[in-house]
């Protein structure tokens, strides 16, 4: 009988909660048509029509060392790559399918190079593995809510044996957990309708994964999707409960808590533009200052942020993403003390930004160009030893006497009438 152990759990989750910031990478055959990773489904494309991308895929510029460096320089601590996405194409060399990078012009195991590169940068290694598979013939086609062939009567399910599919993907997960050394994150994706939990053979799968990779941190999508907290939150963990909640494209308004109101471990995954996979015309990139604020918001609510990039057909991360990451990295270099190892501050949310905290240090992130005495709500007057600008270390006087008299109980940081903001974004006290 599976028994959840809080101490083991907390220990396993330590690095992950300190890290706070990771890189998500969506890359596969769908990077060639450049219409997002769901195109086979949204366009109800047959496997034959999709075959041209397999024939063409050559990964000519694939250099995961570059990806890893970029992540490292942006201040990220871990990376998660799509080993297999819903289209069923494997970036890794699976012996259970022909539908893999090894059999394309790329001609090699791309996951192997990736794990080596990420480790060499001192980052934690994560792999994303889809639960859906639009390539496998035993996965339901006709009538499934999502499958590309859902409306095609010729793709009936009479001769499909779902248990064969489950056996297949379990074996692939076994390969992933066996052939690439220690994995730090395993990101299953995703449950929907009645396709969840034991339908995926989840207890058996989890037992295998936990045996092969005792340290690995797993998301909650064997029983949930981008919505839904999972059984750990309900206080009744299944044997296949995830280690963290994985809100998608949303930063939960109040963070994520379990039934007892205790904070849960969570990670918001966020795209830079509006697609996970490379998209040729989607140029709606969020500016770096916005993403920095989002990261701070996550940390202030006790969560991580997994920020996505979608490399192009050749394996190059889009220029826009590179530029954004380098701006984030500049900020992180000076301000990472307010991110790593930080969490919920338990002080009122200020008008001007967010607060993160590590032990007895409070980081007041100012999202706007604040002037004069700035209230640091929630701090006790006589307990504040000093106030410093984090990026530069310069001293900031504690409240002046004229402020005192009107608001005797509030601690103010006196930025003066014309504070010099080092980068005009998220100024951290
Ligand atoms: C999933 C993937 O489908 C998507 O391609 C990407 O990998 C993202 C990180 O995870 O996103 C979802 C999950 C659930 C639904 C839609 C997209 N859903 O329930 O419709």
């Amino acid at each position: 009988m599976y028994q959840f152990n809080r101490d083991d759990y907390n220990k396993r989750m330590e690095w992950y909660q300190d890290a706070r910031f990771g890189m998500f990478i969506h890359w596969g055959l769908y990077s060639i048509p450049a219409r997002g990773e769901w195109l086979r489904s949204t366009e109800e494309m047959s496997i034959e029509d999709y075959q041209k991308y397999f024939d063409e895929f050559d990964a000519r510029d694939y250099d995961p060392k570059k990806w890893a460096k970029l992540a490292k320089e942006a201040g990220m601590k871990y990376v998660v790559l799509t080993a297999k996405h819903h289209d069923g194409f494997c970036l890794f060399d699976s012996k259970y399918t022909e539908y893999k990078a090894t059999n394309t012009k790329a001609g090699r195991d791309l996951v192997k190079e990736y794990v080596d590169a990420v480790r060499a940068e001192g980052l934690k290694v994560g792999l994303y593995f889809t639960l859906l598979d639009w390539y496998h013939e035993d996965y339901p086609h006709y009538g499934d809510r999502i499958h590309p062939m859902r409306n095609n009567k010729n793709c009936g399910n009479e001769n499909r044996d779902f248990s064969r599919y489950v056996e297949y993907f379990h074996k692939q997960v076994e390969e992933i957990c066996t052939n690439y050394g220690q994995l730090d994150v395993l990101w299953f994706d995703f449950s929907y309708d009645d396709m969840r939990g034991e339908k995926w053979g989840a207890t058996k799968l989890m037992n295998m994964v936990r045996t092969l990779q005792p340290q690995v941190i797993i998301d909650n999508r064997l029983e949930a999707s981008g919505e839904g907290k999972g059984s750990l939150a309900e206080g009744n963990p299944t044997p296949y409960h995830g280690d963290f909640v994985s809100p998608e494209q949303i930063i939960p308004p109040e963070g994520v808590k379990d039934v007892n109101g205790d904070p849960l471990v969570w990670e918001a995954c966020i795209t830079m533009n509006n697609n996970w996979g490379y998209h040729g015309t989607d140029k709606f990139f969020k500016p770096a200052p916005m993403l920095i604020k989002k990261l701070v918001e996550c940390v202030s609510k006790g969560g991580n942020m997994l920020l996505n990039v979608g490399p192009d057909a050749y394996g190059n991360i889009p220029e826009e993403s590179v530029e954004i990451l380098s701006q984030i990295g500049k900020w992180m270099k000076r301000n990472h003390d307010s991110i790593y190892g930080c969490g919920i501050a338990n002080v009122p949310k200020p008008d001007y930004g967010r607060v993160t905290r590590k032990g007895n240090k409070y980081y007041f992130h100012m999202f706007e160009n604040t002037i004069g005495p700035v209230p640091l709500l929630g701090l006790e007057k006589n307990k504040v030893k000093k106030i410093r600008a984090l990026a530069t270390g310069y001293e900031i006087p504690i409240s002046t006497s004229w402020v005192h008299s009107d608001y005797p109980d509030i601690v103010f940081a006196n930025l003066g009438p014309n504070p010099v903001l080092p980068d005009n974004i998220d100024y951290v006290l």
Side-chain angles (χ1 to χ4, degrees):
M1 250 299 272
Y2 175 83
Q3 190 63 49
F4 178 72
N5 182 305
R6 174 65 60 184
D7 291 338
D8 290 352
Y9 176 73
N10 288 345
K11 201 151 177 39
R12 182 149 47 87
M13 301 306 285
E14 230 167 70
W15 75 261
Y16 179 78
Q17 288 194 277
D18 283 350
R20 290 304 183 209
F21 191 26
M23 175 184 273
F24 214 170
I25 307 179
H26 278 71
W27 191 50
L29 299 183
Y30 47 77
S31 307
I32 300 175
R35 301 194 289 277
E37 77 289 353
W38 270 67
L39 87 155
R40 242 209 90 192
S41 173
T42 52
E43 299 176 17
E44 300 188 32
M45 192 184 282
S46 72
I47 195 63
E48 292 77 21
D49 285 345
Y50 200 69
Q51 181 61 25
K52 56 180 172 284
Y53 307 125
F54 181 93
D55 297 338
E56 189 178 320
F57 186 79
D58 66 0
R60 75 171 70 151
D61 294 334
Y62 179 57
D63 184 358
K65 289 195 229 59
K66 267 200 202 159
W67 294 358
K69 271 212 174 68
L70 205 59
K72 172 97 175 212
E73 270 161 27
M76 292 154 156
K77 296 285 197 186
Y78 62 108
V79 188
V80 180
L81 169 68
T82 50
K84 178 171 92 159
H85 205 267
H86 308 333
D87 64 6
F89 177 70
C90 299
L91 294 180
F92 67 106
D93 186 13
S94 169
K95 63 178 173 199
Y96 304 107
T97 184
E98 300 304 308
Y99 206 52
K100 56 183 177 182
T102 332
N103 289 341
T104 65
K105 288 176 187 156
R108 62 202 199 275
D109 187 330
L110 301 173
V111 167
K112 179 79 182 66
E113 290 174 34
Y114 156 84
V115 296
D116 291 346
V118 171
R119 282 194 198 112
E121 283 297 333
L123 303 174
K124 300 282 189 183
V125 179
L127 290 174
Y128 167 112
F129 191 93
T130 179
L131 301 172
L132 294 60
D133 190 321
W134 300 331
Y135 184 82
H136 199 278
E137 52 190 25
D138 285 313
Y139 199 92
H141 286 39
Y142 181 66
D144 179 77
R145 186 157 64 81
I146 291 165
H147 197 281
M149 297 295 103
R150 57 189 170 272
N151 294 316
N152 190 326
K153 288 204 174 69
N154 299 327
C155 291
N157 300 322
E158 301 75 35
N159 298 317
R160 305 189 197 284
D161 176 354
F162 191 68
S163 68
R164 251 187 336 222
Y165 167 68
V166 171
E167 198 179 310
Y168 164 74
F169 98 76
H170 282 209
K171 278 191 188 140
Q172 289 197 317
V173 173
E174 185 180 26
E175 287 181 311
I176 282 205
C177 292
T178 309
N179 298 340
Y180 302 94
Q182 188 188 308
L183 296 183
D184 302 301
V185 176
L186 192 51
W187 221 99
F188 290 119
D189 192 31
F190 61 89
S191 293
Y192 62 102
D193 306 340
D194 67 335
M195 307 289 264
R196 63 180 68 240
E198 290 308 358
K199 190 94 187 222
W200 304 121
T203 298
K204 192 166 170 238
L205 183 72
M206 271 296 198
N207 281 336
M208 176 184 73
V209 172
R210 296 263 186 237
T211 305
L212 295 171
Q213 296 280 346
Q215 297 305 313
V216 76
I217 290 172
I218 306 169
D219 71 348
N220 65 340
R221 293 197 178 186
L222 277 169
E223 55 183 19
S225 69
E227 300 169 11
K229 297 192 216 175
S231 61
L232 193 56
E234 266 98 65
N236 187 18
T238 59
Y240 48 87
H241 73 79
D243 294 324
F244 64 90
V245 182
S246 56
E248 181 171 326
Q249 301 287 36
I250 182 174
I251 298 175
E254 313 275 352
V256 186
K257 295 178 180 126
D258 67 15
V259 277
N260 303 316
D262 291 327
L264 283 169
V265 183
W266 59 272
E267 172 196 78
C269 51
I270 305 281
T271 51
M272 274 196 192
N273 52 3
N274 291 314
N275 282 274
W276 299 99
Y278 182 76
H279 197 291
T281 56
D282 175 1
K283 299 291 174 193
F284 296 100
F285 286 90
K286 301 163 186 73
M290 184 193 283
L291 291 167
I292 293 169
K293 289 172 191 168
K294 293 295 167 202
L295 172 62
V296 170
E297 187 184 341
C298 287
V299 178
S300 77
K301 294 173 176 177
N304 287 15
M305 186 164 94
L306 189 65
L307 183 59
N308 184 73
V309 296
D312 66 18
Y314 302 139
N316 295 308
I317 292 177
E319 264 173 45
E320 294 92 337
S321 301
V322 172
E323 176 54 32
I324 289 164
L325 288 171
S326 102
Q327 287 179 43
I328 295 175
K330 266 191 203 144
W331 184 88
M332 283 293 281
K333 252 186 205 95
R334 299 195 289 196
N335 295 295
H336 60 77
D337 283 347
S338 68
I339 301 293
Y340 304 142
C342 292
I344 301 171
N346 272 322
V347 297
K349 190 159 67 187
D351 295 329
Y352 48 76
R354 307 277 168 177
V355 190
T356 61
R357 174 184 167 186
K358 180 162 46 199
N360 57 9
K361 280 193 176 148
Y362 291 77
Y363 298 95
F364 285 79
H365 295 253
M366 293 179 190
F367 291 176
E368 4 174 299
N369 193 330
T370 312
I371 55 153
V374 174
L376 308 181
L377 294 180
L379 301 190
E380 269 181 74
K381 197 101 200 206
N382 299 318
K383 291 199 175 156
V384 178
K385 291 214 182 78
K386 56 179 187 178
I387 306 176
R388 296 288 182 270
L390 179 59
T392 52
Y394 72 77
E395 178 176 25
I396 292 166
I398 304 179
S399 55
T400 55
S401 55
W402 63 268
V403 172
H404 265 170
S405 54
D406 275 349
Y407 311 96
D409 299 325
I410 296 176
V411 179
F412 287 83
N414 197 351
L415 298 184
N418 291 302
V420 180
L421 299 191
D423 25 32
N424 215 15
I425 42 162
D426 193 11
Y427 176 71
V428 186
L429 277 188

